[in-house]
Amino acid sequence: NAGVTQTPKFQVLKTGQSMTLQCAQDMNHNSMYWYRQDPGMGLRLIYYSASEGTTDKGEVPNGYNVSRLNKREFSLRLESAAPSQTSVYFCASNVKGSYSNYGYTFGSGTRLTVV
Amino acid sequence: QKEVEQNSGPLSVPEGAIASLNCTYSDRGSQSFFWYRQYSGKSPELIMFIYSNGDKEDGRFTAQLNKASQYVSLLIRDSQPSDSATYLCAVRGDSGAGSYQLTFGKGTKLSVIP
């Protein structure tokens, strides 16, 4: 059982380049999330998908787009990378439902540097 | 804007002592509360969750919740050097869209001194 798998683990981009971060979970979770983590800023929500077919903006969505490809996969795209997007990106998932007290399961992260 | 506040630390405790980590939150509608441990360069790992007022114990960890004071804490008994990590407090509300997003504090860095 792999849990949440993120690819790639490391990436260096030049300013203006585009890329897609991939995330897949095999736990049959409904909801998936993309966060970025920066020193002194904590984890900040970029986008989330409550269920297959829906996506919504989080706290810091500018410069990003997402696609919920199916129940398992949720990708994050940077159309024109900027140095301010240098960060560690985490994908996470959890179950859906009023009585769900379970937190997220996180992927291992993608360390992105934009030069 | 929901806020979750933690003392950034570092909090240093000697091996074998009790480490006390604190967290306050702004949204009175928050329903569930989580503690994550994050080692340097790794992803956060869930160690405790609590949703009722009072204490919840799991091994050396105790989570305490006081909804009236909007306060949640984590106690680590018999602290070990392997407990040295950043501890993230997270709070879950109800977005109304069926997704139960977590809002995270910035974390408290704990250092256990041998």
Side-chain angles (χ1 to χ4, degrees):
Chain A
N1 191 344
V4 179
T5 302
Q6 284 185 241
T7 56
K9 295 190 183 301
F10 300 93
Q11 184 71 48
V12 178
L13 288 179
K14 294 182 178 180
T15 297
Q17 287 185 319
S18 62
M19 77 162 296
T20 300
L21 282 64
Q22 306 288 351
C23 176
Q25 53 88 13
D26 61 3
M27 297 172 289
N28 202 35
H29 285 172
N30 302 95
S31 301
M32 299 184 73
Y33 309 82
W34 277 105
Y35 282 82
R36 60 178 289 174
Q37 187 174 39
D38 303 289
M41 300 297 291
L43 283 160
R44 292 182 292 170
L45 182 64
I46 304 171
Y47 271 93
Y48 68 96
S49 172
S51 59
E52 185 178 356
T54 69
T55 61
D56 283 287
K57 296 178 180 179
E59 180 186 355
V60 289
N62 291 344
Y64 305 95
N65 285 298
V66 291
S67 295
R68 182 74 182 266
L69 305 171
N70 48 54
K71 190 172 186 179
R72 293 185 62 248
E73 299 174 286
F74 187 39
S75 63
L76 178 71
R77 183 162 178 82
L78 287 70
E79 291 290 352
S80 178
S84 60
Q85 295 178 304
T86 294
S87 187
V88 179
Y89 292 85
F90 288 105
C91 177
S93 69
N94 67 349
V95 299
K96 172 184 174 182
S98 299
Y99 300 102
S100 166
N101 289 305
Y102 299 103
Y104 296 161
T105 300
F106 281 91
S108 58
T110 296
R111 284 149 183 80
L112 175 67
T113 302
V114 183
V115 297
Chain B
Q1 180 84 1
K2 299 175 184 176
E3 294 183 349
V4 179
E5 299 288 341
Q6 296 181 255
N7 188 324
S8 62
L11 173 65
S12 294
V13 299
E15 184 174 355
I18 296 175
S20 178
L21 304 163
N22 303 315
C23 173
T24 60
Y25 59 94
S26 63
D27 182 9
R28 285 194 172 274
S30 299
Q31 299 178 7
S32 302
F33 308 85
F34 304 82
W35 284 99
Y36 283 82
R37 178 176 62 200
Q38 186 176 25
Y39 293 113
S40 180
K42 301 296 185 182
S43 58
E45 171 193 13
L46 179 65
I47 55 172
M48 289 286 288
F49 73 88
I50 186 168
Y51 54 90
S52 297
N53 277 328
D55 295 359
K56 179 182 178 182
E57 186 174 320
D58 184 1
R60 296 187 296 113
F61 299 100
T62 298
Q64 299 175 316
L65 175 61
N66 184 326
K67 288 187 177 181
S69 300
Q70 295 176 245
Y71 176 90
V72 58
S73 66
L74 179 70
L75 301 178
I76 306 174
R77 291 182 299 281
D78 188 23
S79 295
Q80 301 297 308
S82 59
D83 294 326
S84 298
T86 297
Y87 289 80
L88 306 175
C89 174
V91 173
R92 195 198 85 189
D94 180 352
S95 70
S99 169
Y100 295 87
Q101 350 173 344
L102 302 187
T103 299
F104 287 84
K106 294 179 181 179
T108 298
K109 187 172 184 178
L110 173 66
S111 180
V112 180
I113 312 301

